Structures are given as C-alpha cells and as structure tokens.
Amino acid sequence: MKLLVCVKQVPDLESRFKPDPSGQWYSETDLAFRINEYDDYAVEQAVRLREQLGDAAELTVLSVGPDRVVEVLKKALAMGCDRAVHVQDPAPHLKDPWQIASIIAAYARSQQYDLIFTGFQSQDRGSAQIGPTIAELLGYACTTTLVGFSFADGVVTATRELEGGLKGVVKMKLPALVTCQLGLNVPRYPTLPNIMKAKKKELETVPVANLLQEETRIATESFYAPEKKGGGMVLEGDVTELVNRVYAILKEKTPALRQ
Amino acid sequence: MKALLIGESREGKLLESTYELVGFARQLGADSAMFLVGDPGRLPGYAGKLYLADVAQAGEYQPDLHKKLILDAVEKENPDLVVFLHSSYGWDLAPRVAVRLGVGQVSEVIGFKEGGFELGACNGKMRRAVKLQGRVVVTIQAGAFAAAPAEGSPQVEPLKESAVSLVEFAGYQPPEPKDIDLARAEIIVSAGRGVGKKENVEVIAALAKALGGELGASRPVVDAGWVEHSHQVGTTGQTVSPKLYIACGISGAIQHLAGMKKSGFILAINKDREAPIGEIADVLVVADVLQFVPALTAKIAG
Ligand SMILES: Cc1cc2nc3c(=O)[nH]c(=O)nc-3n(C[C@H](O)[C@H](O)[C@H](O)COP(=O)(O)OP(=O)(O)OC[C@H]3O[C@@H](n4cnc5c(N)ncnc54)[C@H](O)[C@@H]3O)c2cc1C
Ligand SMILES: Nc1ncnc2c1ncn2[C@@H]1O[C@H](COP(=O)(O)O)[C@@H](O)[C@H]1O
C-alpha cells in the first residue's frame, strides 16, 4: 500500500510579520520556519498507519517550497516516513492553492497512492483547500477535519469534527484523502537514532516546472497588517507596577474584587 | 452580481448561520438565490429562489452527491459567486465545487476591500486582499457578516440527483457530557499555550480561584491533555460571555475569539504586543504570564 503525506513549512506564528517589497506576502527576513502545526498530526497519523501495515506499506512525505523545506522533510523522515519528495519551488507563496494542489496532484497521479494525508489548513495562508482539491483532481474519496482515524479491511473510518462539540463518523474505501485537525493524535518527537537513520533515506528532488501546468486563479492583491480598531489599552513595563495598575482597573471596571 | 448561497442544515434543522450568507449577499449588494439540502417541511425565511434537495434522500453528509446537486443549481442560476460558510460543511465541499466549475476559490472572507475580498493570514495577525475576475467560489468566516433577519418565504425549485457517494456517513457522535458549564461563569481565567507546560496551568487556576472564577483554556492546552475538554473556549468548545475574561498566553485565533468576544471586560496577558487578542482586549498586558499572573494573584490574596 502506498501512502503520501503532504507537509508545508510555515514561519513561527509568534513572529512579527511585515509585507515584503512586492506587498503581496510577508518578508522572510528574521523569520524562523518550522512544520505547519496541522501537518505534524498528519505525519504522525500516516506513520502510525505505516507501522500498523508493516512492510506492506511505503510512506512518502512531500513538500513544495524553496530549499529550506528540506528541514521539515527531514523531520518527517525522522518521525518514520520512508522517503521524501522535495518539489523545488523558490516562490510557492506566489502560487494560489489551486496551483499548489495541481502540482501535488500531478506528482501523486504518477505514483498511484492509495491514501493521502494532509493537514486541515496551513497556518500562514489557511485556505483549507489543498487537500480536498487534490482529492477532487484525482477522483479520490475525501473527508476533512479528522479528530479520529482507523484503518481495517481496506476501509478508512474517520471521525470528523463538526461545530459545537458534535462529531460525524465517515467510512471510505481506498483510494482516499483525509485532512487532519489539531488534537488528532499526539505527534512524536524524533529520537536521535531515528534522526541518524533518516539521513540515509531517499530524498527525491523535482523541479516545480516539471509538474506545474496551471495558471493562477486567485492572485493576492495586497498583504498588510490589520487596521488597529483602537479602544484597547496596552500596558507595558515593570511587573509590580503592571500588577498595581491592573488591580486598580479590575476593581474599577469589573465586578471582580468587589466583595 | 448574482450569488448562489449554500445553506446548511444539521440533524434535520436549518442552521441559523445560513442567514449570515444572506447578510453577506446584502452587504455586497448582490442578487441571490439559495441552495439547500434540507427538510421541505421546514423552509428558511428567505424571499428568493430556493433550490432544494430533500435531505431524506440526499443525506446530511454526502459530499459527492451534494456537489452534483450544487452544480445543477449553478447551471440553472448562472451565478457569479457560489458562497459557502467556512464551516465543516463549507470547507469540505467548496474546493470540490470549485474544481468541477474550473474556477478559483477564496477561503474565509472577513470583509470587502478595494472591489475584492479581505481575508485573514498568519493566524489572524495579517490581512490579505484578493481581486476577483469571473466566477468564484467563496467561503465566508462564521460571524464576520451579520445575519439577515429570517423573513419571507422562498419559491422552491426541487432538485434531485441519482445517488453517488465515495463516502458513507455512519452517523453523529453527540458531544461529551460537560462536568462544568462555563456559559454561566461570571469570571473566567483561561490558560493558553503560552503557559508552557502542564504544571503551569496551576498558576492560572490559582488566579481563577483567587477571583472566585472558573478555569478556561484554549484548544492546544486541551489537545495536550493539560486541561479537560469541558474547559475549552471557542468554536469547538464552549461559547462564553462572562463579565470578566482573562486570557493568559492566548494568541487570539479566530476560533478562540468566536467563543469569548462577547465577554464584558477582556484582559489579556501576552508577551507578544502584536498578538491578535489585542484587537479585542480592553487591556493587553505585555508581560510573561509566569511572572505577571502569580504576582497579581499574590496582590489579590493581599
Ligand atoms: C476548525 C477549528 C476549530 C478550532 N476550535 C478552537 C476552539 O474551540 N478553541 C480554541 O482555543 N482554538 C480553536 N482552534 C485552534 C485555533 O486556531 C488556535 O490554534 C488556538 O486557539 C491557539 O491557541 P493559543 O492561543 O493558546 O496558542 P498559540 O496560538 O500558540 O498562542 C500562544 C500565545 O502565547 C504567547 N506566549 C508564549 N509564551 C508566553 C509567556 N511566557 N507569557 C505570555 N505570553 C506568552 C504567545 O505570544 C502567543 O500569542 C480551532 C481551529 C480550527 C481550525
Ligand atoms: N507547499 C506545500 N507543500 C506541501 N503540502 C502543502 C503545501 N501547502 C499546503 N500543503 C498541504 O495542504 C494543507 C492545507 O493547506 P492550505 O490549503 O494552504 O490551508 C496543509 O496542511 C498541507 O498538508
């Protein structure tokens, strides 16, 4: 059985973001990159299935992006993926989700995967489109926002998260694609021996031009900081002073501390 | 401009959020028609054309069949926009419809900007604007557009398609019973990922106790098993509106804000001055929670 998991590298979201000179995306200066949080759960689930199936399965991890994305591919290999594919693209942010999905679908089509895992959404773009779009392009069964997953007798049983605490149970035959939500599992940390082993695993590099046939459908016009709505007070400085000020505010403006 | 609005029903009932789609179309100044897989006996209060498929036949989660039905409605209506809510129904279906129509999709619209749409980026810290050419599939952020009142009755145009489905829906799992009802709390002090580790949740709980309030939490704190799910605030937790909400080490992602923005007074403690929680907080204290919170608790204890 052939498995694929798609991962994206995103900046640390606690960073300060500034538009780049094109005004269409963020400047990468001073940003540290890591694996998209949702994709960590996708990799973990794919690795667990790979372990369940044993040698009958092969798990590929794929990322579209510049050379820095090799870091997340290595992490996924160290978590237990068998091989990695780096679709080399210096500027994935200038492509829309439709193009990224088409690129991944073009690669996947040549490999005939039985089951594909993606994250529910990316933290920087957050379109939540790429998984279902790939599935639709490939004609695969698809369900989204998984908080539960099991596989037995050729059937995927997925628990989808709906609104307000409700969940839905879905069954699918292969080939299929699922998108993984936060909390689906507890992602492992790569161990040192596994990091060493990962160094020997195959890393295939494919230039994006070999896979990209589609034009942008929705281009970003501009990228900017939100307008400050004002109103709120920002307090900074010495902790003791902050505590005194906040204590006074709570006493004056809220029912707290009024016995 | 003409919009086809994709309404939603669950467990046989129309979802109120459907009226946010109507509100969106009105704000945009677009003509609209609605599509719904629902109960023909419980029609929405909507004075327009309604393409209706009977949920008894089409099921509540049959994305491949619903996609076909929507494509039928699009063919009859010829809209410029096909509009979904950014919900578990909408984000699941919208990309499939966009691919079949051969058009682009814009996800989670929060407003209008320069003849196009405004979207969030970077977990709510930044914004993006997109322009539109030709037909587009969009999803709108829950709560971003005020719901239009339910009024009038629709002209129903029934739709039917032969069943196709690559997925089989095996039913709902009800929410877990709650051991605590945060919705009634007057004071909530919530722990976010910024508290760092499980042991530090005690520090936040101590402040909650000193104030006579309840402990709340953001999702990562619950997912990591530091706090029970019944304490989670947000779209997939509880919606709360206490008189005082204190957010400790919470960034302010939209799904968290949706659960607490109606609180009377919001105090946020975050080491990041730019954290989006600052946009709705009455007071943002820029500090390390592990220094500030114990000091505040000590002051309250006298
Ligand atoms: C469909 C869906 C539903 C969701 N439902 C919910 C929901 O119901 N509830 C919910 O909360 N989330 C929900 N989420 C997740 C949501 O998108 C965010 O991922 C989550 O709210 C982030 O939680 P956080 O703010 O605690 O963590 P982070 O976003 O990681 O933020 C941590 C914050 O702590 C600050 N910080 C770090 N260290 C310190 C320190 N020492 N002192 C002070 N500040 C510090 C950082 O600056 C940062 O702002 C949902 C997501 C999806 C896609
Ligand atoms: N550049 C990329 N390379 C590989 N996978 C990606 C890429 N961008 C997005 N994905 C996958 O698609 C999911 C949804 O992303 P998005 O549609 O951008 O919200 C992510 O969680 C990843 O699993």
Side-chain angles (χ1 to χ4, degrees), chain A residues 11 13-19 24-26 37-38 41 96-98 120-121 123-129 132-133 135-137 139-145 147 159-173 181-186 217-237 239 242-244 246-247 249-250 253-257 259, chain B residues 8 10-11 15 61 63-64 67 86-89 91-92 95-100 102-108 113-114 117-133 136 166-176 186-187 193 210-211 219-220 223 229 235-237 243-244 246 255 265 267 271-274 278-279 281-287 291-292 295-296 299-300:
Chain A
L13 274 301
E14 288 178 24
S15 319
R16 180 168 291 197
F17 293 94
K18 291 186 295 289
Q24 288 174 315
W25 199 236
Y26 49 77
E37 194 179 350
Y38 296 80
Y41 294 96
D96 63 0
W98 159 248
F120 164 61
Q121 65 178 359
Q123 290 172 288
D124 54 355
R125 172 117 64 173
S127 77
Q129 285 177 31
T133 305
E136 193 64 28
L137 285 169
Y140 282 24
C142 169
T143 194
T144 54
T145 345
V147 290
T159 309
R160 296 191 71 211
E161 183 177 61
L162 310 173
E163 287 72 20
L166 194 68
K167 290 171 187 156
V169 181
V170 173
K171 290 184 185 295
M172 305 188 294
K173 293 216 175 83
Q181 167 66 314
L182 305 172
L184 169 61
N185 49 44
V186 181
R217 288 181 171 170
I218 310 277
T220 301
E221 202 67 28
S222 57
F223 182 89
Y224 49 94
E227 281 164 37
K228 291 277 174 250
K229 298 219 175 74
M233 196 194 290
V234 179
L235 302 179
E236 279 173 288
V239 169
L242 286 174
V243 165
N244 291 336
V246 168
Y247 186 87
I249 291 169
L250 291 181
K253 302 234 165 106
T254 80
L257 310 174
Q259 271 92 16
Chain B
E8 293 186 27
R10 175 150 317 141
E11 297 183 294
L15 290 188
Y61 184 69
D64 300 293
K67 172 185 75 189
H86 197 69
S87 62
S88 59
Y89 185 74
W91 64 58
D92 193 86
R96 310 176 201 240
V97 170
V99 171
R100 286 296 144 233
V103 303
Q105 186 198 330
V106 179
S107 297
E108 218 172 358
K113 183 95 179 174
E114 294 153 12
F117 292 135
E118 182 170 57
L119 320 171
C122 300
N123 252 3
K125 278 192 156 178
M126 300 298 284
R127 298 283 183 268
R128 224 154 49 89
V130 295
K131 278 235 167 66
L132 307 176
Q133 317 111 312
V136 181
L166 298 174
V167 307
E168 180 201 332
F169 184 57
Y172 293 108
Q173 263 178 16
E176 288 158 28
E186 295 221 329
I187 297 176
R193 178 152 40 200
L211 289 167
R219 178 166 186 148
D223 285 343
H229 180 264
T235 45
T236 48
K243 291 187 176 133
L244 171 61
I246 307 186
Q255 297 88 359
F265 190 90
L267 167 66
K271 65 171 189 192
D272 178 6
R273 198 181 199 284
E274 317 269 313
E279 282 176 50
D282 295 280
V283 174
L284 169 67
V285 174
V286 184
Q291 290 175 4
F292 179 85
L296 181 63
K299 165 107 185 164
I300 292 164

Side-chain angles (χ1 to χ4, degrees), chain A residues 5-10 36-40 42 62-66 69 73 85 87 89 92-93 96-98 100-101 103-104 117-134 178-180, chain B residues 107:
Chain A
V5 59
C6 302
V7 298
K8 183 178 184 180
Q9 199 188 31
V10 296
N36 180 42
E37 194 179 350
Y38 296 80
D39 303 351
D40 219 8
L62 176 147
S63 188
V64 182
V69 310
L73 292 174
V85 179
V87 179
D89 183 355
H93 60 280
D96 63 0
W98 159 248
I100 300 287
I103 291 163
I104 297 174
F117 294 84
T118 73
F120 164 61
Q121 65 178 359
S122 56
Q123 290 172 288
D124 54 355
R125 172 117 64 173
S127 77
Q129 285 177 31
I130 281 159
T133 305
I134 295 170
V178 295
T179 79
C180 302
Chain B
S107 297

Side-chain angles (χ1 to χ4, degrees), chain B residues 5-301:
Chain B
L5 312 175
I6 312 299
E8 293 186 27
S9 54
R10 175 150 317 141
E11 297 183 294
K13 285 218 296 271
L14 182 82
L15 290 188
E16 283 298 312
S17 49
T18 298
Y19 296 106
E20 293 177 26
L21 295 163
V22 183
F24 167 85
R26 287 204 189 151
Q27 269 193 51
L28 186 62
D31 293 332
S32 71
M34 192 183 284
F35 166 92
L36 181 70
V37 178
D39 177 354
R42 291 197 244 185
L43 296 177
Y46 172 70
K49 183 177 276 181
L50 175 68
Y51 293 93
L52 181 72
D54 190 342
V55 66
Q57 272 126 45
E60 286 194 355
Y61 184 69
Q62 300 281 358
D64 300 293
L65 176 56
H66 290 201
K67 172 185 75 189
K68 258 174 99 182
L69 289 161
I70 291 170
L71 294 176
D72 290 347
V74 169
E75 193 168 313
K76 294 198 166 112
E77 193 63 26
N78 197 23
D80 305 284
L81 299 177
V82 182
V83 192
F84 294 81
L85 283 155
H86 197 69
S87 62
S88 59
Y89 185 74
W91 64 58
D92 193 86
L93 206 43
R96 310 176 201 240
V97 170
V99 171
R100 286 296 144 233
L101 292 173
V103 303
Q105 186 198 330
V106 179
S107 297
E108 218 172 358
V109 172
I110 57 175
F112 306 116
K113 183 95 179 174
E114 294 153 12
F117 292 135
E118 182 170 57
L119 320 171
C122 300
N123 252 3
K125 278 192 156 178
M126 300 298 284
R127 298 283 183 268
R128 224 154 49 89
V130 295
K131 278 235 167 66
L132 307 176
Q133 317 111 312
R135 180 179 283 166
V136 181
V137 171
V138 302
T139 65
I140 62 170
Q141 188 175 80
F145 299 91
E151 57 194 12
S153 38
Q155 307 119 250
V156 175
E157 181 150 342
L159 289 181
K160 215 172 162 180
E161 271 288 355
S162 47
V164 276
S165 200
L166 298 174
V167 307
E168 180 201 332
F169 184 57
Y172 293 108
Q173 263 178 16
E176 288 158 28
K178 295 184 259 193
D179 56 6
I180 155 181
D181 189 4
L182 285 184
R184 302 166 85 115
E186 295 221 329
I187 297 176
I188 296 175
V189 185
S190 284
R193 178 152 40 200
V195 304
K197 56 179 182 196
K198 185 172 184 171
E199 293 70 47
N200 294 340
V201 173
E202 291 306 320
V203 173
I204 311 303
L207 176 60
K209 192 160 176 238
L211 289 167
E214 299 284 357
L215 177 70
S218 69
R219 178 166 186 148
V221 169
V222 172
D223 285 343
W226 300 350
V227 170
E228 292 286 298
H229 180 264
S230 51
H231 293 261
Q232 182 176 315
V233 172
T235 45
T236 48
Q238 302 202 44
T239 301
V240 301
S241 50
K243 291 187 176 133
L244 171 61
Y245 188 89
I246 307 186
C248 307
I250 293 177
S251 61
I254 178 68
Q255 297 88 359
H256 190 82
L257 300 187
M260 46 64 76
K261 65 182 174 200
K262 298 214 173 96
S263 304
F265 190 90
I266 300 171
L267 167 66
I269 300 111
N270 200 302
K271 65 171 189 192
D272 178 6
R273 198 181 199 284
E274 317 269 313
I277 191 94
E279 282 176 50
I280 62 150
D282 295 280
V283 174
L284 169 67
V285 174
V286 184
D288 186 328
V289 276
L290 296 178
Q291 290 175 4
F292 179 85
V293 173
L296 181 63
T297 310
K299 165 107 185 164
I300 292 164

